[in-house]
Amino acid sequence: MIKFPLTELLDEQACYEWLLKILHPKGLHCPSGHAIPAGQAPHDRQRTPIVKYKCRECGKVFHIFTGTDLSGSHYTCGQIVLILRGFLQGQTTQHTAEELGLDYGTLLSWRHHQRRGFAHLINGNLPDAEAEMDEMFQNAGEREQKRSNSRPTKTTRESTQRQGTMANDRPPIVGTVGRNSGQIRMKVCDNTQQITIQPQVEVTTLPTTTVYTDESDAYNRIPASGRERQTVCHSQREYARDEDQDGFCEVHCNTMEGIWVGLRNFLRPFRGIHKKYLYLYVAMFEWAYNLRWIDFDFLRRLLFPPSTYLPT
Ligand SMILES: [Zn+2]
């Protein structure tokens, strides 16, 4: 996970350098893409260290935030770093505004920009060519549970697997993991009927994605949406198989199985989760899990308007 330069937060120059590395990994360029020669004197030093440069080739005047969502903002570099950190840690806008002494309305409008970009990155379909989908059942009633939510043994898992519903206090959590991106999407569902599961397939994967699932009927509609489905038969203890005999077991749901272990461990200390609020705990886990994949490229996408973002 990305490190925020906390020890240097009071140093405006250090925060500037950090943001420069995120926004302009190949060095500062004018909006037309002309590089600024090393050592060129700034055109305007009024907001040091956010100095303006004048391009010698096209004459455009610009600074580090030109072309980003921050181009018109008056935040200092230190404030921007802290705002980003607060946002990625799930802090409320109110909290961040109070902590940094910023105007709530102004911060909120910028966070709306960010959230749009973020939703696009975190909530959208996984970009992966291959994804695994599976479901897990979590004991969650309407009052405190007497026993901890330990993972059932294989045999009880088989017998309870198809019966878990929101109504009988064992709501299913449907999960998707992208095999390449490593990102996950999770949703607490009322049941595991096709009509419930299929929309989750379609909002978490692309029409071209190959979806790996177990043999559950819940996923039977996947091919109708144009997606390829590969199955592994858990009930026959076939947890992985080498379809094309290249020595690599591509038909499996092991990645998702591993994530369920993580989710169960995460949920265990919260005894007696009310089923109405289970989705909040699951969202928290999903959030924390996906945060592991945040890097400079992610932050760069967050700060540039989606239409102008160019991969580096
Ligand atoms: Zn230029």
Side-chain angles (χ1 to χ4, degrees), residues 29-36 54-60 62:
H29 287 69
C30 86
S32 307
H34 304 125
I36 294 303
K54 185 169 185 174
C55 178
R56 285 177 185 165
E57 289 186 57
C58 69
K60 280 182 184 146
F62 65 97

Side-chain angles (χ1 to χ4, degrees), residues 81-201:
V81 171
L82 282 175
I83 293 168
L84 280 174
R85 178 168 172 267
F87 181 77
L88 295 174
Q89 289 180 341
Q91 221 174 54
T92 64
T93 306
Q94 186 76 48
H95 184 133
T96 309
E98 279 170 15
E99 199 172 76
L100 300 177
L102 302 173
D103 178 66
Y104 174 71
T106 312
L107 183 59
L108 189 66
S109 68
W110 184 49
R111 296 257 305 226
H112 280 159
H113 272 277
Q114 282 186 317
R115 203 160 281 141
R116 265 210 326 263
F118 199 65
H120 171 70
L121 295 170
I122 283 279
N123 296 330
N125 306 56
L126 294 167
D128 302 74
E130 294 186 328
E132 292 175 27
M133 289 193 74
D134 193 20
E135 49 325 318
M136 180 191 110
F137 297 86
Q138 176 64 29
N139 293 323
E142 287 176 344
R143 53 180 178 271
E144 208 183 327
Q145 304 276 326
K146 289 205 185 80
R147 289 166 46 191
S148 69
N149 303 315
S150 58
R151 189 188 173 108
T153 61
K154 276 281 181 296
T155 42
T156 59
R157 186 168 184 266
E158 244 105 80
S159 57
T160 55
Q161 177 151 273
R162 301 288 163 243
Q163 296 152 15
T165 65
M166 186 65 85
N168 70 14
D169 294 347
R170 200 163 163 72
I173 300 161
V174 177
T176 312
V177 57
R179 283 205 177 160
N180 187 47
S181 70
Q183 291 270 328
I184 60 170
R185 302 287 184 269
M186 285 184 173
K187 188 167 192 245
V188 178
C189 294
D190 288 341
N191 54 58
T192 48
Q193 293 170 12
Q194 290 174 9
I195 199 166
T196 310
I197 301 293
Q198 186 60 23
Q200 193 58 11
V201 173

Side-chain angles (χ1 to χ4, degrees), residues 12-23:
E12 213 20 45
Q13 184 66 38
C15 291
Y16 178 85
E17 304 287 342
W18 191 76
L19 289 167
L20 188 67
K21 214 160 52 175
I22 292 171
L23 295 168

Side-chain angles (χ1 to χ4, degrees), residues 227-244:
R227 291 161 176 80
E228 190 183 334
R229 178 194 181 190
Q230 294 274 357
T231 59
V232 52
C233 192
H234 280 176
S235 56
Q236 292 169 21
R237 302 208 170 274
E238 181 195 24
Y239 280 85
R241 72 167 177 263
D242 185 7
E243 193 90 303
D244 50 10

